[in-house]
Each structure stands twice: as structure tokens, then as C-alpha cells.
């Protein structure tokens, strides 16, 4: 049986109060309980929520208190270690609260000018700190640095547009990425919703999904997690 990775990406959304409300809603919907470490849920699937840095401390405490089967991640990390890098958060600082990190999201490339070179530095820092890395690519030709744990195939035109890629084409691209890189865990992102998630998870090469917009709503996120059991 396949093990799935479902990783929500909140992007620049939510205050502490809003995060509290989301966690309580998720908790009210039965999701089973956490076993150990970042390996979550009764069925060997991994559920991750990539939150803004400002929420990590609070969310870690609440996830523990509510015993939710969710690991925390961030949406970025510094390409440098600790030190005089104003505004940056190092991988070692992230690791205090989170076990996962998204690197190379197309919004980081587009709005923050991140290059393959800087992204490779981020991967190296995250690896050294022991973070699990989800590396985003827009097609099968994007350069992928060594050491990433999972890849997310996210066609730029499908992100936040409500127009998801077809599951069959996503499967073909993901199969090509796997053949090229030997990376075992490759997921799909781009307008994933509770309505279309099952069609992606049913594909042979697709190991999970990376929802953005749908992860902001606790009920929708719970529906996505529950879809792995279908
Ligand atoms: P979306 O975002 O689900 O809102 O399209 C996906 C992502 O950017 O990771």
C-alpha cells in the first residue's frame, strides 16, 4: 500500500487567533492520533502544514496539546547558517519548531528572484539541519539539487487559478521526474481541492498533493487528509 504525503502551504496567511481557530476546527474533526516523530497517522501517511514563521512556536504547542497527526514545516529557509544575515531565518532555527521545509516554490522564484544556485544553498543548509525537504519544480526539466526528500510538481499556471492540471498529465510528468532523479516521493500541487484530490491520488506515480488555497480552510484540509484513506 502506498504512503502518501499531504503538505498544506498557508503562504502569507493567518494570525495566531486565526491559526488557533483552524487547529480547533481540525481537532473537532476526527483525524486519529499522532504516533512518533514526523511519521504520522495510523496508515503511514505523512501530513504536513507549512506555516509562516510567526506561527510556528504557537502551532507546535497547540498541535502537541491537541494531539493532531500533523507535522510542521516552513515555506522557505535561509541559504546561510546562523549569523549576520538580517531578516533571514536559518535552518537550525527552523528545526527548533519544524521538521519540514518547502524550497523553490515558484512564488519564491518569481517574487524574490531565487535562482537555482541560491536554492541549492538552501537545500544544503536544510539538509545539514536535518529538515525534510519538499523541492518544487514547474516541469520535468527543472534542476533538482541532491538531497531533497520529496519533489512537488507544480505547473505555474495551475497555482491559485482554480484550473488544476489533468491527473493523467500530472502522472506522466511525475513519472518522468522519478525516472530521471530516482526520487521516490513526488507529489502534485496546483489548485488541489477536496473535489479533485482523489483523482490525483489514484494515479500510479503520484504520491500526494501540495494544496495552498484549500489548506486555509480546516474542513477542506481535513477532507484532503481523509482522501488518502479512500
Ligand atoms: P494552490 O497553491 O493550491 O492555491 O493552487 C498550491 C501551491 O502554491 O503550492
Amino acid at each position: 500500500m502506498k504512503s502518501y504525503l499531504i503538505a498544506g502551504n498557508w503562504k502569507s496567511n493567518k494570525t495566531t487567533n486565526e491559526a488557533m481557530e483552524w487547529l480547533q476546527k481540525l481537532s473537532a474533526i476526527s483525524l486519529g492520533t499522532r504516533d512518533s516523530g514526523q511519521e504520522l497517522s495510523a496508515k503511514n501517511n505523512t501530513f504536513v502544514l507549512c506555516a509562516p514563521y510567526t506561527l510556528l512556536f504557537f502551532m507546535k504547542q497547540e498541535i502537541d496539546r491537541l494531539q493532531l497527526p500533523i507535522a510542521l514545516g516552513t515555506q522557505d529557509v535561509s541559504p546561510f547558517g546562523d549569523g549576520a544575515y538580517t531578516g533571514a531565518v536559518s535552518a537550525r532555527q527552523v528545526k527548533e519548531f519544524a521538521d519540514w521545509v518547502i524550497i523553490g516554490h515558484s512564488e519564491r522564484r518569481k517574487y524574490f528572484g531565487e535562482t537555482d544556485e541560491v536554492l541549492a544553498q538552501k537545500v544544503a543548509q536544510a539538509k545539514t539541519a536535518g529538515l525534510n525537504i519538499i523541492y518544487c519544480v514547474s516541469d520535468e526539466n527543472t534542476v533538482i539539487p541532491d538531497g531533497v526528500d520529496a519533489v512537488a510538481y507544480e505547473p505555474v499556471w495551475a497555482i491559485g487559478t482554480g484550473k488544476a492540471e489533468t491527473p493523467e498529465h500530472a502522472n506522466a510528468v511525475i513519472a518522468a521526474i522519478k525516472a530521471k532523479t530516482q526520487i521516490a516521493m513526488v507529489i502534485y500541487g496546483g489548485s488541489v481541492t477536496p473535489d479533485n484530490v482523489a483523482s490525483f491520488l489514484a494515479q500510479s506515480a503520484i504520491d500526494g498533493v501540495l494544496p495552498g488555497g484549500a489548506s486555509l480552510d480546516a474542513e477542506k484540509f481535513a477532507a484532503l487528509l481523509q482522501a488518502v484513506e479512500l
Side-chain angles (χ1 to χ4, degrees), residues 9 11 105 107 154 158-160 190-192 210-213:
N9 176 9
K11 308 189 180 183
H105 192 282
E107 288 155 12
E154 299 205 302
I159 296 176
S191 298
V192 172
L210 179 47

Side-chain angles (χ1 to χ4, degrees), residues 7-209:
N9 176 9
W10 275 4
K11 308 189 180 183
S12 298
N13 290 292
K14 296 200 190 290
T15 61
T16 325
N17 279 342
E18 289 160 357
M20 165 76 94
E21 210 175 288
W22 187 96
L23 287 166
Q24 284 176 350
K25 262 195 199 155
L26 195 71
S27 174
I29 303 163
S30 175
L31 288 172
T33 51
R34 185 161 65 170
D35 47 34
S36 61
Q38 74 261 15
E39 293 305 319
L40 305 171
S41 113
K43 298 199 173 170
N44 276 335
N45 300 305
T46 303
F47 303 148
V48 181
L49 198 269
C50 297
Y53 297 124
T54 50
L55 301 177
L56 291 180
F57 175 74
F58 160 79
M59 288 192 70
K60 183 171 159 51
Q61 288 183 321
E62 282 301 293
I63 285 170
D64 281 349
R65 194 177 67 80
L66 297 168
Q67 286 284 295
L68 292 173
I70 308 260
L72 274 176
T74 59
Q75 304 158 19
D76 184 32
V77 71
S78 175
F80 304 108
D82 295 356
Y85 304 102
T86 301
V89 179
S90 74
R92 199 176 74 92
Q93 291 176 299
V94 167
K95 183 66 179 144
E96 193 177 5
F97 304 105
D99 289 312
W100 289 79
V101 61
I102 296 172
I103 296 178
H105 192 282
S106 64
E107 288 155 12
R108 298 294 314 172
R109 296 176 196 256
K110 179 177 172 190
Y111 298 119
F112 301 90
E114 296 189 355
T115 60
D116 289 343
E117 193 185 14
V118 87
L119 294 173
Q121 283 177 263
K122 291 182 180 215
V123 167
Q125 288 291 333
K127 202 76 211 153
T128 303
L131 292 167
N132 295 302
I133 300 161
I134 301 171
Y135 196 80
C136 297
V137 304
S138 57
D139 58 40
E140 66 272 41
N141 299 317
T142 309
V143 178
I144 301 175
D146 286 341
V148 312
D149 299 280
V151 167
Y153 162 53
E154 299 205 302
V156 174
W157 54 264
I159 296 176
T161 59
K163 293 191 181 94
E165 167 73 288
T166 64
E168 295 74 20
H169 191 253
N171 191 57
V173 174
I174 284 175
I177 292 168
K178 286 183 165 180
K180 216 165 158 176
T181 61
Q182 314 299 320
I183 292 167
M185 176 70 75
V186 184
I187 64 178
Y188 168 76
S191 298
V192 172
T193 65
D195 290 337
N196 65 21
V197 65
S199 64
F200 290 104
L201 300 182
Q203 298 293 322
S204 59
I206 301 181
D207 301 301
V209 289

